[in-house]
Amino acid sequence: MRTTITIGPDLQIGGDDFVVMAGPCAVESGELLFAAADAVQRAGARVLRGGAFKPRTSPRSFQGLGTEGLDLLTAASRRTGLPVVTEVMDPRDVDLVAEHAAVLQVGSRNMQNFPLLREVGRQPKPVLLKRAAAATIDELLLAADYVLQEGNENVILCERGVRGFDPSTRYLLDLAAVPVLRERSPLPVIVDPSHGTGVARYVPSMARAALVAGADGLLVEVHAAPEQARCDGQQALTPTGFADLMAELRQLAPPIGRRLALAIDSTGAAKSPDSYDDEVIAP
Ligand code: PEP
Ligand code: MN
């Protein structure tokens, strides 16, 4: 039996539906966040992503807007009806982030931050756990066990690429991890093709491949104006690029026995498939 996890009031991941989570790498301003949120919601994403606390390699890079970013995410969630996934980096921020987020992301750099894993395990919201760039699949599953052991069984595993030797892509996206994880664990598995490739034009192929490989969903970076992004702009899809990808995924899913979770309108109600097709597939 596979684990089905409920996100927000009624979205299920780990069941029949393929769930797409999308939004900017970082929350940068209300204007940019709302533009991205509106676009991903219209295109059929079911969860809004966006980092308020950003783990940056350099301490001199933009670190995120922090609590202001969390408030903006809550506003974007109210506006679109989409639940939010956002990263928590510090065990002391878990309660604060959980007040604003439907899903708590533990990023790749913190996959083995054991105090953080324990802390997110002591609260009930689902946890999106990203594989570290040099972690084996077993290490990812053992990291998930830290969360499960504290009583939170709602862990979503995320493959986001491991460190390879070839600079043609930012990381080496390990799509074979999808069937391996599904064999070894009942937890839902999603794929992040944005960090996995680091290049926006490679993202759609890997997103389609993730669906076909059996993933339960995607985490995709989308920015209203990628060239202006303060973080990861080179790997962000534009709103149009994302809408095109969603249209492709919607066609690809049924022949392989999958279905894209229906889009919702801004009141949080699922749209009928008819209105959905009109709005999303028409150019
Ligand atoms: C992110 O999702 O923006 C992120 C920082 O991802 P990762 O932890 O996989 O690098
Ligand atoms: Mn990013």
Side-chain angles (χ1 to χ4, degrees), residues 2-161:
R2 303 212 54 84
T3 304
T4 303
I5 295 175
T6 304
I7 296 174
D10 57 7
L11 177 66
Q12 309 264 323
I13 187 164
D16 293 338
D17 287 356
F18 188 73
V19 175
V20 179
M21 311 181 185
C25 178
V27 179
E28 297 166 340
S29 69
E31 197 184 347
L32 285 170
L33 177 65
F34 297 161
D38 291 354
V40 301
Q41 186 254 7
R42 272 199 306 274
R46 291 299 308 269
V47 180
L48 174 65
R49 67 148 288 149
F53 296 102
K54 292 305 302 176
R56 302 306 300 278
T57 301
S58 165
R60 288 171 291 282
S61 298
F62 173 57
Q63 302 286 308
L65 297 180
T67 51
E68 189 193 337
L70 293 177
D71 289 336
L72 289 171
L73 284 167
T74 294
S77 175
R78 293 217 176 99
R79 181 186 167 97
T80 56
L82 297 179
V84 161
V85 57
T86 194
E87 178 159 355
V88 58
M89 295 202 296
D90 188 322
R92 293 167 297 188
D93 292 335
V94 167
D95 290 342
L96 172 71
V97 174
E99 281 171 28
H100 294 267
V103 180
L104 275 63
Q105 177 170 325
V106 173
S108 60
R109 290 160 187 80
N110 276 312
M111 190 201 86
Q112 287 184 318
N113 179 337
F114 302 116
L116 179 63
L117 294 173
R118 287 213 163 93
E119 204 58 39
V120 295
R122 292 189 191 115
Q123 60 78 53
K125 296 240 167 117
V127 174
L128 193 168
L129 178 62
K130 299 188 85 172
R131 181 183 184 179
T136 64
I137 288 173
D138 280 336
E139 286 165 339
L140 171 60
L141 291 171
L142 289 168
D145 281 347
Y146 273 86
V147 181
L148 303 178
Q149 215 180 59
E150 294 301 322
N152 186 347
E153 292 177 0
N154 302 314
V155 180
I156 302 160
L157 304 169
C158 181
E159 164 59 38
R160 47 78 75 202

Side-chain angles (χ1 to χ4, degrees), residues 24-26 49 54 130 170 192 194-195 221 231-232 235:
C25 178
R49 67 148 288 149
K54 292 305 302 176
K130 299 188 85 172
R170 183 178 181 187
D192 172 351
S194 305
H195 293 87
E221 290 188 345
C231 181
D232 286 353
Q235 67 193 34

Side-chain angles (χ1 to χ4, degrees), residues 38-45 239-251 260-265 271-283:
D38 291 354
V40 301
Q41 186 254 7
R42 272 199 306 274
T240 312
F242 180 68
D244 290 348
L245 171 61
M246 292 299 286
E248 288 170 357
L249 293 171
R250 201 168 301 112
Q251 287 189 350
L260 246 62
L262 279 183
I264 53 169
D265 65 26
K271 287 183 181 178
S272 76
D274 294 345
S275 65
Y276 187 65
D277 286 354
D278 288 348
E279 285 175 39
V280 180
I281 294 181

